[in-house]
């Protein structure tokens, strides 16, 4: 059984649209309404505003404090702390009251509570009560899923975030002798870094950023980004990569670099030029060790946005439906972190469809494809794969990705560039080595194998307490059997497949 249907309000329409949609659901008699959010005060406030619009009473309930009237003092305050007593009371009311139930999810394991919720949800008409379940995370029992409707709170708009930031800056400046005015342009960058957070979290993070030196500046952004990611990804299915690469560290791949250069200005722009859609993603297929992962990191560095790596293995859960839910939450986090690059490494291992897992991989693939088709956020997807045969056809058909690039074994010129990069990275001057000769001696070597040759040579030199020489690297090359030799047939098959179906990177 799938989760309750989510609300379909387009993002960015603001509080008025949010209030209107919830009012429509309540008038229609939908329920229970499920709101997953860490911003409980905002959800309760929304229920109160809708109740005033509909001229109905509204109450908040928690196990700690029982029932209280939203926005008013009430004779019910403190009553019905037990969930079953509360539900029986709601079931007997005939005044169309709205009940915001805070952290009710532990009681959904009780079959009596579930039955009472079903009885309440079957009532119809203006006098029927409505239950709104509010919690950071709610698992709905199968028996409630046909009736339950998920409703998502709209995060603060950029204009509201800016207003919150400036209010905190102004408050911090009162009574201070040091200036609190933000550095030029920093507020706009803070607005981008606070996207997707709750109002409470935004205020707290801005206060923390101001605390040390009394102002917002460039030095506060890295800490804010880490804190934001921790708040948005509690399940830890994603990993933020703070040290993205530069394309100067990536040898070769001229077509990929040129493709990204043309699209970077459009991706960086909040509003694409007329007639153009923001670039959405690429698939990097190729031989192992030839730089696909480095290219993914460099893409984020080139765009100047955070890199999020999705660990497909961490998504799988033994409970039915939980793996797909974990993927949805990870994708929701990526949307909230936008603009960003989302990197799924070795995607074929996480989404290889078969019958051995009860259909979990197929459902996860469907979840990913739906997100790829419908997302409106500036999330650039980079998927890497080594085995095209393991990829489901639905994923690689035309239109899923903007382009499919093949990262092949490097040619002689690129091998020389790779060797120079790895020598320079280890504080060796490439000009002191016969890089051209080493490149000629390494046909069929991948970038990873060339790096290994440099590292092995360094170990040999270190063991004898001397400087690295050309001969050290050449000896390491002679001792290496590259993958292109050990798995020649499979690599030849991959290259043949890619020659007419992909764009050489």
């Amino acid at each position: 059984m799938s989760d309750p249907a989510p609300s379909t309000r387009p993002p960015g329409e603001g509080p008025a649209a949010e209030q209107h949609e919830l009012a429509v659901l309540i008038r229609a008699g939908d329920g229970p309404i499920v709101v997953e959010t860490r911003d409980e005060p905002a959800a309760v406030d929304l229920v109160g505003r809708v109740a005033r619009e509909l001229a109905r009473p509204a109450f908040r309930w928690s196990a700690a404090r029982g029932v209280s009237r939203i926005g008013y003092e009430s004779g019910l305050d403190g009553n019905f702390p037990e969930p079953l007593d509360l539900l029986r009371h709601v079931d007997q009311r005939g005044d169309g009251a709205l009940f915001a139930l805070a952290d009710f999810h532990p009681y959904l394991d009780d079959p009596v509570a579930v039955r009472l919720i079903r009885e309440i949800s079957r009532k119809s008409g203006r006098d029927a009560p409505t239950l709104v379940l509010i919690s950071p995370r709610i698992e709905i029992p199968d028996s409630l899923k046909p009736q339950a409707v998920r409703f998502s709170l709209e995060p603060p708009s950029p204009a509201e975030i800016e207003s919150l930031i400036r209010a905190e800056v102004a408050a911090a400046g009162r009574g201070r002798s040091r200036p609190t005015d933000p550095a030029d342009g920093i507020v706009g960058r803070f607005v981008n870094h606070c996207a997707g957070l709750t109002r409470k979290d935004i205020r707290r993070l801005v206060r923390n950023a101001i605390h040390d030196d009394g102002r917002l500046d460039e030095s506060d952004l890295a800490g804010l980004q880490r804190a934001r990611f921790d708040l948005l990804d509690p399940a830890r299915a994603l990993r933020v990569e703070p040290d993205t690469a530069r394309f100067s560290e990536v040898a070769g791949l001229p077509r990929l670099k040129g493709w990204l250069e043309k699209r970077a200005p459009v991706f960086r722009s909040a509003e694409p030029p007329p007639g153009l859609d923001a670039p959405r993603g690429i698939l990097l297929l190729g031989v192992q060790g030839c730089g696909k992962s480095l290219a993914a990191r460099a893409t984020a560095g080139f765009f100047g946005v955070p890199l999020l790596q999705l660990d497909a293995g961490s998504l799988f859960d033994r409970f039915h439906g939980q793996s797909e839910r974990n993927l949805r939450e990870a994708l929701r986090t990526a949307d909230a972190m936008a603009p960003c690059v989302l990197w799924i490494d070795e995607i074929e291992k996480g989404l290889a469809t078969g019958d051995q897992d009860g259909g979990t991989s197929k459902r996860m693939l469907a979840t990913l494809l739906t997100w790829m088709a419908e997302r409106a956020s500036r999330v650039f997807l980079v998927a890497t794969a080594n085995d095209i045969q393991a990829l489901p056809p639905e994923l690689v058909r035309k239109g899923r990705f903007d382009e499919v690039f093949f990262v092949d074994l490097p040619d002689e010129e690129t091998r020389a560039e790779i060797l120079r990069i790895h020598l320079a990275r280890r504080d060796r001057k490439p000009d002191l080595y016969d890089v051209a000769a080493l490149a000629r001696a390494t046909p069929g070597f991948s970038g990873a194998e060339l790096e290994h040759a440099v590292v092995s040579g360094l170990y040999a030199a270190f063991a004898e307490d001397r400087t690295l020489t050309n001969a050290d690297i050449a000896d390491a090359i002679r001792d290496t059997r590259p993958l292109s030799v050990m798995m020649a047939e499979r690599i030849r098959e991959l290259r043949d497949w890619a020659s007419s179906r992909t764009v050489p990177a």
Side-chain angles (χ1 to χ4, degrees):
M1 180 71 69
S2 60
D3 273 353
S7 58
T8 57
R9 177 182 66 257
E13 291 195 350
E18 186 176 64
Q19 180 173 327
H20 172 73
E21 182 183 343
L22 183 57
V24 168
L25 293 177
I26 291 170
R27 285 195 188 99
D30 290 326
I33 297 171
V34 179
V35 183
E36 287 191 335
T37 178
R38 289 181 296 103
D39 198 348
E40 181 186 303
V44 173
D45 177 70
L46 176 61
V47 172
R49 287 189 278 119
V50 171
R52 289 192 292 274
E53 176 187 335
L54 300 179
R56 299 189 189 186
F59 301 89
R60 176 189 180 276
W61 177 89
S62 73
R65 298 189 177 180
V67 172
S68 59
R69 184 83 178 263
I70 297 177
Y72 303 92
E73 294 296 327
S74 168
L76 288 174
D77 285 359
N79 289 343
F80 309 112
E82 294 299 322
L84 293 182
D85 292 340
L86 175 277
L87 292 175
R88 291 188 178 102
H89 168 75
V90 174
D91 190 36
Q92 293 169 7
R93 294 182 70 106
D95 55 358
L98 313 183
F99 279 83
L101 310 186
D103 290 335
F104 199 84
H105 56 281
Y107 308 109
L108 296 178
D109 290 334
D110 184 342
V112 177
V114 171
R115 182 65 205 183
L116 280 166
I117 292 174
R118 292 182 66 192
E119 295 286 351
I120 293 167
S121 300
R122 285 173 175 167
K123 298 176 183 290
S124 60
R126 177 177 171 79
D127 294 335
T130 301
L131 299 176
V132 182
L133 310 184
I134 303 170
S135 182
R137 182 163 179 161
I138 306 175
E139 292 291 340
I140 301 298
D142 285 347
S143 58
L144 275 181
K145 285 179 179 177
Q147 296 165 290
V149 176
R150 288 195 181 270
F151 181 87
S152 58
L153 286 186
E154 179 113 351
S157 67
E160 186 179 356
I161 293 173
E162 180 172 352
S163 177
L164 291 169
I165 292 172
R166 293 196 181 278
E168 290 300 325
V169 170
R174 287 193 284 271
R176 280 181 177 263
S177 58
R178 290 179 295 176
T180 58
D181 292 338
D184 291 343
I186 203 69
V187 170
R189 298 183 66 184
F190 261 77
V191 169
N192 289 335
H193 280 63
C194 288
L197 296 179
T198 67
R199 294 156 184 85
K200 181 180 179 180
D201 287 334
I202 291 169
R203 294 188 187 98
R204 179 173 58 81
L205 293 179
V206 172
R207 285 191 208 112
N208 290 344
I210 295 172
H211 180 267
D212 289 337
D213 56 7
R215 63 180 304 180
L216 296 181
D217 53 33
E218 185 83 20
S219 65
D220 297 315
L221 287 171
L224 175 66
Q225 181 172 303
R226 286 192 298 272
R228 176 194 181 203
F229 181 76
D230 288 340
L231 287 168
L232 291 175
D233 185 38
R236 299 294 183 267
L238 294 171
R239 184 171 72 246
V240 65
E241 298 268 353
D243 298 322
T244 54
R246 296 184 298 273
F247 263 116
S248 61
E249 302 170 8
V250 182
L253 310 185
R255 289 187 179 86
L256 173 60
K257 292 175 182 176
W259 190 92
L260 291 171
E261 284 174 358
K262 293 176 183 176
R263 287 156 179 80
V266 178
F267 181 79
R268 295 185 188 121
S269 173
E271 291 294 333
L276 284 179
D277 295 327
R280 299 173 67 81
I282 54 176
L283 174 62
L284 300 179
L285 171 69
V287 182
Q288 289 183 9
C290 286
K292 298 186 298 297
S293 298
L294 185 60
R297 291 188 175 94
T299 299
F302 189 72
F303 284 161
V305 297
L307 174 66
L308 307 181
Q309 183 179 1
L310 177 61
D311 180 5
S314 69
L315 299 173
F316 285 90
D317 193 286
R318 62 192 178 93
F319 293 108
H320 181 76
Q322 188 60 42
S323 300
E324 305 92 280
R325 179 189 178 89
N326 291 341
L327 176 57
R328 282 195 299 272
E329 290 186 352
L331 296 174
R332 191 180 304 132
T333 298
D335 287 333
M337 287 288 289
C340 63
V341 169
L342 176 63
W343 170 29
I344 307 179
D345 194 22
E346 296 187 341
I347 191 172
E348 71 272 26
K349 292 184 178 179
L351 296 175
T353 53
D355 299 325
Q356 295 82 13
D357 59 2
T360 297
S361 295
K362 290 181 179 179
R363 293 192 299 272
M364 290 182 70
L365 173 64
T367 298
L368 178 63
L369 294 179
T370 300
W371 175 82
M372 290 173 66
E374 297 180 356
R375 76 184 186 277
S377 59
R378 281 190 296 155
V379 177
F380 188 83
L381 176 62
V382 179
T384 58
N386 297 318
D387 184 3
I388 190 65
Q389 302 299 331
L391 284 173
E394 305 97 306
L395 186 66
V396 294
R397 76 162 176 79
K398 208 65 177 175
R400 295 298 189 193
F401 293 93
D402 294 336
E403 195 57 86
V404 179
F405 287 97
F406 183 68
V407 183
D408 204 349
L409 291 165
D411 58 22
E412 184 176 318
E413 181 181 348
T414 304
R415 294 197 299 274
E417 186 179 353
I418 291 171
L419 288 165
R420 290 189 190 96
I421 288 172
H422 288 298
L423 286 166
R425 189 178 293 168
R426 291 161 179 82
D427 298 322
R428 300 299 188 274
K429 294 181 179 179
D431 293 343
L432 299 180
Y433 300 87
D434 191 352
V435 172
L438 294 171
R440 287 193 298 272
T442 51
F445 274 59
S446 68
E449 289 159 347
L450 292 168
E451 180 183 12
H452 173 75
V454 172
V455 172
S456 294
L458 281 168
Y459 270 109
F462 178 78
E464 298 180 9
D465 194 22
R466 57 177 174 76
T467 303
L468 175 70
T469 66
N470 221 69
D472 293 323
I473 304 175
D475 288 344
I477 288 170
R478 280 192 293 273
D479 291 339
T480 301
R481 292 292 177 270
L483 193 68
S484 61
V485 173
M486 293 189 294
M487 303 187 69
E489 295 78 11
R490 287 187 60 182
I491 290 177
R492 188 182 307 114
E493 181 182 345
L494 175 63
R495 297 172 81 181
D496 289 345
W497 184 94
S499 62
S500 59
R501 296 175 173 88
T502 64
V503 175

